[in-house]
Amino acid sequence: MSKSIAAVSRIAFLASDVLVDSQPAFPATSQFSKHFQSFAETTGRQPLRFEVPVGGDPASTILRNGSTASLVSFTASATSHTAVRLVVQATELSSLPLVLHIAVTDDLSDVILLRSAVPFFLVSYTAQQAHDNALLAFRIARVEKKAVIHVFYEHSGDASDVTTEGDIWRLLHSEKLAPGASFSPENGTNGYIEHAVVTNGVNGDAHLTNGINGSHSPGSTESPTDARIPNGVANGFCDIANAPPPVSAGLYELYEAALLSTVSCTRRTCRPLTFRGVDNPHTVAFVLGSLPNGLELDGIAFVPISLLTPLQPSKILHVIPSSTSRVILLEQLRRSNTKWTSLFLDIVNILQERQTSHRILVQNIWFTEPEQINAASLFKLLNVTSNLRSTSPLQLGSDAPSGPLVTVPHVPKHEVSYTKILSYIFGDHLEISNSPSFVPTQGAIVTSPEFALGRVRGQFEQRAQLTRSVQALMEVEGISPELHKALGQWLLVKNDRSKSRAVSDQVVASLKSASLQNAHVNRVLSLQAHLPARSKWIIGSDAWSYDLGSSGLHHAIASGLDINILILDSVPYSSRHSADPHRRKQDAGLYAMNHGHVYVASVAVYSSYAHVLQAIMEADRHKGPSVVLAYLPYKSENTPALEVLKETKLAVDSGYWPLYRWDPVKEARGQEPFTLDSDSVKNDLQQFLDRQNHLSQLVRSKPQLATELVSSLGESVKEARRKKAAEAYSDLLVALDAPPLVILYASDGGTAEKYAKKLMNRAKARGLSASIGTMDSMSIETLANEEYVAFVTSTAGQGEPPQNGRTLFKAFNAAVGRGDSPFSKLRYSVFGLGDSHYWPRPEDAHFYNRPGKDLDSRLEQLGGERFAPLGLGDDQDADGPETGYKVWEPLVWKALGVDNIQVLEAEPDPITNEHIKAASGYLRGTIAEGLQDTSTGALAPSDTQITKFHGIYQQDDRDIRDERQAQGAEPAYSFMIRVRMPGGVCAPKQWLQMDRISDEHGNGTFKITTRSTFQFHGVIKRHLKPTIQDINKVLLDTLAACGDVNRNVICSAIPSKSKLHARVYEFSKLVSDHLLPRTTAYHEIWLDNKLVAGEAVKDFEPLYGEFYLPRKFKVAVAVPPTNDVDIFANDLGFIAIVDKSGELAGFNVTVGGGMGVTHGNKKTYPRLADVIGFCTVEQGPLVAEKVMLTQRDFGNRVDRKNARLKYTIDRMGLDVFKAEVESRLGYKLSPARPFTFDRNVDDFGWTVGEDGKHHVTLFIENGRVQDEPGQDFKKGLREIAKIHKGTFRLTANQHIVISDIETDDVPQIKRLLTKYKLDNLNFTGLRLSSSACVAFPTCGLAMAESERYLPILIDKVEKICEEYGLRNDSIVMRMTGCPNGCARPYIAEVAFVGKAPGSYLMLLGGGYYGQRLNKIYRESVSEPEILAILRPMIKRYALERLEGEHFGDFVIRAGYISPTTEGKNWYDRMGGEGEFREVAAAQ
């Protein structure tokens, strides 16, 4: 047992938070792991430990588990594989507080290439030096947050002086010491001095007198400085007059500081260079390797190198005296990938800078054994080469440098059980494609599953060539009938293993006996090894064929080849929690099944031998990839078979390792493809189904019992509580002695937080001491000291915990993985909130309430005890989550002993937006005070509701939210600012100001929104006020761009109808101004109460009042035949009607449009507006006012999800609503006039208006104005704005119209458009008709990607369109990251609405010009499913569409989806029609 490894292991265990140990090749075991286990049993520390199997990737394990740790250790014995894996990710590793301890025996070949990988490289030659350098390495890593490589020899010598655990802790946590400041060992012994000059110091300066540890340096005649150093300095810390400037001086200073702290701890010197030998040698030998003890040679000085990186030139030069005529580098290497090592080249470069009168011969000598360095061999070699300029390194001894040693991997005896089964079934037909028997001839890589897959692919290709040659040979004239028959028989039975072998022998014999001179004959004979059919298997084993990153599995599945993969899992059930969760073999089965064409089986030979046989034979029969997961739990070859049997039984019976088979062929036949073969699991499942069936029958026979089963507060309970009112006071006094209750919640949308606060209020009403907080506000350590804790969590994304609970969830998972049980005194209960219909597919059902279920399970695994069973609230219940909550809450009170207490539960009303608005002082709130608070980048939650009325949303960067939370930092808060710009028209001066604002205050880009205005992202709090002021300088503002008010009024861009556009644009501004809030808060807060234009108004809201509107209110003006504003998607719409003379006669009025929906809540739906009449231009603003006021007074202020005008109209009835509006107007609206729409997309390119001015509409994908490589759109538009004399129009489809261009200016505009590629319209009709909202990373409501993902999806869908000749056909496709509908997805022909990362609601059948809602076609699709659905659909559309038929109309006519006749019927018949109907929807 190596003493060096023991010493290093001890320090690594005591110093590190995370230990990563690389395992040696089987059957050897890691010495480091043995020591770690011993220390774990004898000390109180429990660092996280991870084992990397031979062939694994240690760098990935380190990065995955050590990125947040204070200190990380990696331990390994040197191998070329380990070194290569570390070098590949050296950049990421070098910035971690990481020490890589690598043990070597007699060869540094594998580790020398790591020298340039990290900032520090230490080498230790003795056990004591390994101990001290390990301390030094950890000091550097922890203080400087940089990686250190520590290579040490596995010597058996003792580390006689061991640093205590307390001293190690103090060393790692002490502050830096300045060299020479306070401490120095005298001549290598203990000692302190009271002054700054270190007379006998360590790593001192030019005042050193006795060197370090009594050692000396060569001669003292080279410079005056040396004369001051009688005995020199061994490691050269003095100034040298002619020395070159230091290289990596900064790193060396860090090393020196750490070295001083280490020496002050160990009281031993620890030198980077050690000079051994005479004072005036003729040869200086730098040594990187192990020297014989006590070696002394006349005229030769040896300088062992302990600090390999950073290598200081001044230190190297200082140990070479003027008497030196030769410098050699002795390196202990057996092989090298380069002629000269990097160390030798560095020394040569350093010596070239040396200013001396004579040249020095520099040579590189390799040796393999320390005994080779002796007087006879070394002097002989030096004499022979005294005048030789070597062209390659010299070699001591007879061993020449060689390549890597190849050893055949050892297959553990337990694993032979599966290979024996394979041999038994297939006999001579078996081919294990990555068999260790191939290693001697093809190298060690042959056992890699990925390499083996390449071999198999090549074999299949060769067999295909063989088949073609046989077929060609049969057509050759002159072949004998016998040969022709044999070849024909082979073609018939070539895939039958038993028959093909016999026929193959006949074919070979016939070919050899025939006298044919033909190339095909030669080809068949050269490929005769492929004539017999074989059963090809690749075996994945952590012991000898590790599948790095499961790449072999992934590629095998994707290849579709007829290949079988046997994956062995050797993790014992009892050790499952300590295993790396990223290498779970069970997950491979789920992954493979998701591909649909792969046979998958999970087997365990020690559970059911027959099942293994059946699965292997079925896998072999399957034509395509097959994956067999085989369980074989053992720790070492010494593990007895009985222990393997026990572990297997535990795993199979518990369901940890289920036995099953998945045969996709059965699915193609209409049969059930999945077969569960675990008897115990099947029995448990049957008992569960029996219980469920019994309950169902009970409820059907006695319907009144159903209420009792799901409700806890019926009339009988209420009556019982009334009778006990007299006992309430005494019970309350008793309750004062009840234990305190801690309530923790995790909530994104606020619902879980609401229930948590409700529970707290009711707990206090019962006399309990209750406290509340987010889950992430509590650590495991703190939680372990609590007695009663109630958890309330909602469900986010794809069954994920909410943001403010993820850190604690991760901590729970890590603790479970370690097998910890910290909650011995904790009693807990969990209430989870979810939506059972959110994931309608059976395979996704486990996502329902997953955080609550997982939390309940984890707490139990960590030693907690439930005081009330898990409660689940379902949005689909009649009362939503309240139904489940009413069942769960009484159980909490009962467990706490306060269930019989009578209290008047006068709960405070929840604070709603209505309260916040009323208390805001007409939109003031405490915004001004919040802007002055520099302690946070955020505003108060109530103020963030008010800032919306000012056009401002608080957001944070969700791409880095988890990272910042892990760092303990608040989210990266910033703000979105939206400009109010009625009609979407701006002047060039305003454009230039928006461009400047995005650079100076935002993220360098800006967004053209679907409300035809500008939107900035990434504005931090201290830039809010300057940004608003800069916007105001060009006579724009942000007031009412968001919030519960009328928002930005939009109108059609219609560049060809200049005169008409001017009228509707003025009308849009008129309506916007008429409905604008009158509060002066905006000017007080942002403009210091100084208006740039106009006069201040008094604080009075004649239209809105102090409560403003129930919800947002959107107005649009459309000009037929272009419905580019999607008029029917707005609360209020005005459709321009032109009289016979072409003048604007007035508007048809539409009411009740709206897009917002809540997933799974069928009380919410999109709705298209209804036409209620006609008004003149003059009447328009008043009509807008009365419609808005009717919504103000009749809108739902209790439930914001049902507060939009569309719900008000459906609740009141359209006729009643219209009558109310007309009553307020004092007259009836005129009948609506005819109009026609034919599109809602923009007309791109150039056009000339009625006034002779030119206009050009530019395609800006998803409205993002930015500069990208090859697409400097932002810069190009800036340059155009500088010379443009007209206006810019922003369209509601997120594009830009450069308008009102004079004829003389057209060439200049065209030149700029061409220069910046803004005139490129070479896009598909699909892309030109697409639109997306912002979503990630800034939108706080986003559930999935949108703006960043839609272009990628269109890349793939448009290829399908082009394939079927639809490149130029317009198909309106829209995407949003959440169901709120900012990009108006519910009227698109194809739409995708985010539900979770990578998962979307798919909708079909919208009207091409916005006249019809689409409908849900699939409730959850990912990209592969989207493409699989759209390909045949688009193909049919290309082949079967009628003349002029649009895609949205076609999918209805073709029977894919039913039409949506009105918003209330949006959910009817969703999920497709007939053969296209989704199974989940049908149920």
Side-chain angles (χ1 to χ4, degrees), residues 967-979:
Q967 295 170 348
E970 73 172 8
Y973 288 116
S974 64
F975 295 82
M976 179 272 283
I977 299 178
R978 186 179 297 154
V979 177

PDB file of all heavy atoms in Angstrom, residues 967-979:
ATOM      1  N   GLN A 967     -25.684  30.877  -6.694  1.00  0.00           N
ATOM      2  CA  GLN A 967     -24.630  31.729  -6.162  1.00  0.00           C
ATOM      3  C   GLN A 967     -25.104  32.558  -4.973  1.00  0.00           C
ATOM      4  O   GLN A 967     -24.309  33.290  -4.379  1.00  0.00           O
ATOM      5  CB  GLN A 967     -24.112  32.670  -7.261  1.00  0.00           C
ATOM      6  CG  GLN A 967     -23.428  31.946  -8.415  1.00  0.00           C
ATOM      7  CD  GLN A 967     -23.145  32.879  -9.572  1.00  0.00           C
ATOM      8  OE1 GLN A 967     -23.644  34.006  -9.619  1.00  0.00           O
ATOM      9  NE2 GLN A 967     -22.355  32.413 -10.513  1.00  0.00           N
ATOM     10  N   GLY A 968     -26.377  32.496  -4.668  1.00  0.00           N
ATOM     11  CA  GLY A 968     -26.924  33.284  -3.574  1.00  0.00           C
ATOM     12  C   GLY A 968     -27.190  34.722  -3.957  1.00  0.00           C
ATOM     13  O   GLY A 968     -27.417  35.568  -3.088  1.00  0.00           O
ATOM     14  N   ALA A 969     -27.195  35.023  -5.251  1.00  0.00           N
ATOM     15  CA  ALA A 969     -27.464  36.382  -5.733  1.00  0.00           C
ATOM     16  C   ALA A 969     -28.918  36.507  -6.139  1.00  0.00           C
ATOM     17  O   ALA A 969     -29.572  35.516  -6.491  1.00  0.00           O
ATOM     18  CB  ALA A 969     -26.562  36.710  -6.919  1.00  0.00           C
ATOM     19  N   GLU A 970     -29.448  37.735  -6.084  1.00  0.00           N
ATOM     20  CA  GLU A 970     -30.815  37.941  -6.525  1.00  0.00           C
ATOM     21  C   GLU A 970     -30.868  37.800  -8.043  1.00  0.00           C
ATOM     22  O   GLU A 970     -29.842  37.892  -8.728  1.00  0.00           O
ATOM     23  CB  GLU A 970     -31.323  39.320  -6.091  1.00  0.00           C
ATOM     24  CG  GLU A 970     -30.743  40.485  -6.862  1.00  0.00           C
ATOM     25  CD  GLU A 970     -31.433  41.803  -6.502  1.00  0.00           C
ATOM     26  OE1 GLU A 970     -32.235  41.826  -5.560  1.00  0.00           O
ATOM     27  OE2 GLU A 970     -31.151  42.801  -7.176  1.00  0.00           O
ATOM     28  N   PRO A 971     -32.053  37.556  -8.598  1.00  0.00           N
ATOM     29  CA  PRO A 971     -32.149  37.454 -10.055  1.00  0.00           C
ATOM     30  C   PRO A 971     -31.583  38.688 -10.741  1.00  0.00           C
ATOM     31  O   PRO A 971     -31.510  39.774 -10.162  1.00  0.00           O
ATOM     32  CB  PRO A 971     -33.666  37.328 -10.286  1.00  0.00           C
ATOM     33  CG  PRO A 971     -34.191  36.757  -9.018  1.00  0.00           C
ATOM     34  CD  PRO A 971     -33.343  37.339  -7.921  1.00  0.00           C
ATOM     35  N   ALA A 972     -31.158  38.510 -11.982  1.00  0.00           N
ATOM     36  CA  ALA A 972     -30.601  39.626 -12.759  1.00  0.00           C
ATOM     37  C   ALA A 972     -31.772  40.477 -13.267  1.00  0.00           C
ATOM     38  O   ALA A 972     -32.192  40.394 -14.419  1.00  0.00           O
ATOM     39  CB  ALA A 972     -29.773  39.099 -13.923  1.00  0.00           C
ATOM     40  N   TYR A 973     -32.287  41.310 -12.379  1.00  0.00           N
ATOM     41  CA  TYR A 973     -33.474  42.104 -12.693  1.00  0.00           C
ATOM     42  C   TYR A 973     -33.171  43.149 -13.768  1.00  0.00           C
ATOM     43  O   TYR A 973     -32.098  43.765 -13.795  1.00  0.00           O
ATOM     44  CB  TYR A 973     -33.991  42.818 -11.442  1.00  0.00           C
ATOM     45  CG  TYR A 973     -34.639  41.907 -10.436  1.00  0.00           C
ATOM     46  CD1 TYR A 973     -34.079  41.733  -9.167  1.00  0.00           C
ATOM     47  CD2 TYR A 973     -35.804  41.216 -10.743  1.00  0.00           C
ATOM     48  CE1 TYR A 973     -34.672  40.903  -8.232  1.00  0.00           C
ATOM     49  CE2 TYR A 973     -36.394  40.376  -9.812  1.00  0.00           C
ATOM     50  CZ  TYR A 973     -35.823  40.219  -8.561  1.00  0.00           C
ATOM     51  OH  TYR A 973     -36.408  39.387  -7.657  1.00  0.00           O
ATOM     52  N   SER A 974     -34.120  43.324 -14.635  1.00  0.00           N
ATOM     53  CA  SER A 974     -34.096  44.409 -15.606  1.00  0.00           C
ATOM     54  C   SER A 974     -35.550  44.714 -15.940  1.00  0.00           C
ATOM     55  O   SER A 974     -36.471  44.068 -15.426  1.00  0.00           O
ATOM     56  CB  SER A 974     -33.303  44.025 -16.856  1.00  0.00           C
ATOM     57  OG  SER A 974     -33.926  42.953 -17.536  1.00  0.00           O
ATOM     58  N   PHE A 975     -35.738  45.676 -16.814  1.00  0.00           N
ATOM     59  CA  PHE A 975     -37.098  46.113 -17.104  1.00  0.00           C
ATOM     60  C   PHE A 975     -37.323  46.183 -18.608  1.00  0.00           C
ATOM     61  O   PHE A 975     -36.408  46.505 -19.376  1.00  0.00           O
ATOM     62  CB  PHE A 975     -37.372  47.483 -16.466  1.00  0.00           C
ATOM     63  CG  PHE A 975     -37.347  47.451 -14.963  1.00  0.00           C
ATOM     64  CD1 PHE A 975     -36.145  47.507 -14.278  1.00  0.00           C
ATOM     65  CD2 PHE A 975     -38.517  47.325 -14.239  1.00  0.00           C
ATOM     66  CE1 PHE A 975     -36.107  47.461 -12.897  1.00  0.00           C
ATOM     67  CE2 PHE A 975     -38.500  47.271 -12.857  1.00  0.00           C
ATOM     68  CZ  PHE A 975     -37.288  47.337 -12.187  1.00  0.00           C
ATOM     69  N   MET A 976     -38.533  45.856 -18.989  1.00  0.00           N
ATOM     70  CA  MET A 976     -38.983  46.046 -20.356  1.00  0.00           C
ATOM     71  C   MET A 976     -39.756  47.352 -20.420  1.00  0.00           C
ATOM     72  O   MET A 976     -40.610  47.609 -19.564  1.00  0.00           O
ATOM     73  CB  MET A 976     -39.853  44.883 -20.815  1.00  0.00           C
ATOM     74  CG  MET A 976     -40.383  45.020 -22.243  1.00  0.00           C
ATOM     75  SD  MET A 976     -41.957  45.907 -22.342  1.00  0.00           S
ATOM     76  CE  MET A 976     -43.087  44.650 -21.814  1.00  0.00           C
ATOM     77  N   ILE A 977     -39.472  48.175 -21.400  1.00  0.00           N
ATOM     78  CA  ILE A 977     -40.168  49.446 -21.583  1.00  0.00           C
ATOM     79  C   ILE A 977     -40.832  49.441 -22.952  1.00  0.00           C
ATOM     80  O   ILE A 977     -40.179  49.174 -23.964  1.00  0.00           O
ATOM     81  CB  ILE A 977     -39.195  50.638 -21.468  1.00  0.00           C
ATOM     82  CG1 ILE A 977     -38.559  50.670 -20.077  1.00  0.00           C
ATOM     83  CG2 ILE A 977     -39.914  51.946 -21.757  1.00  0.00           C
ATOM     84  CD1 ILE A 977     -37.550  51.791 -19.902  1.00  0.00           C
ATOM     85  N   ARG A 978     -42.110  49.752 -22.956  1.00  0.00           N
ATOM     86  CA  ARG A 978     -42.883  49.773 -24.204  1.00  0.00           C
ATOM     87  C   ARG A 978     -43.341  51.205 -24.476  1.00  0.00           C
ATOM     88  O   ARG A 978     -43.876  51.875 -23.589  1.00  0.00           O
ATOM     89  CB  ARG A 978     -44.078  48.831 -24.110  1.00  0.00           C
ATOM     90  CG  ARG A 978     -44.861  48.659 -25.401  1.00  0.00           C
ATOM     91  CD  ARG A 978     -46.006  47.686 -25.188  1.00  0.00           C
ATOM     92  NE  ARG A 978     -45.524  46.352 -24.832  1.00  0.00           N
ATOM     93  CZ  ARG A 978     -46.235  45.476 -24.118  1.00  0.00           C
ATOM     94  NH1 ARG A 978     -47.419  45.809 -23.636  1.00  0.00           N
ATOM     95  NH2 ARG A 978     -45.747  44.290 -23.852  1.00  0.00           N
ATOM     96  N   VAL A 979     -43.131  51.658 -25.687  1.00  0.00           N
ATOM     97  CA  VAL A 979     -43.465  53.025 -26.072  1.00  0.00           C
ATOM     98  C   VAL A 979     -44.918  53.094 -26.543  1.00  0.00           C
ATOM     99  O   VAL A 979     -45.403  52.181 -27.208  1.00  0.00           O
ATOM    100  CB  VAL A 979     -42.512  53.509 -27.187  1.00  0.00           C
ATOM    101  CG1 VAL A 979     -42.889  54.917 -27.656  1.00  0.00           C
ATOM    102  CG2 VAL A 979     -41.070  53.461 -26.708  1.00  0.00           C
TER     103      VAL A 979
END
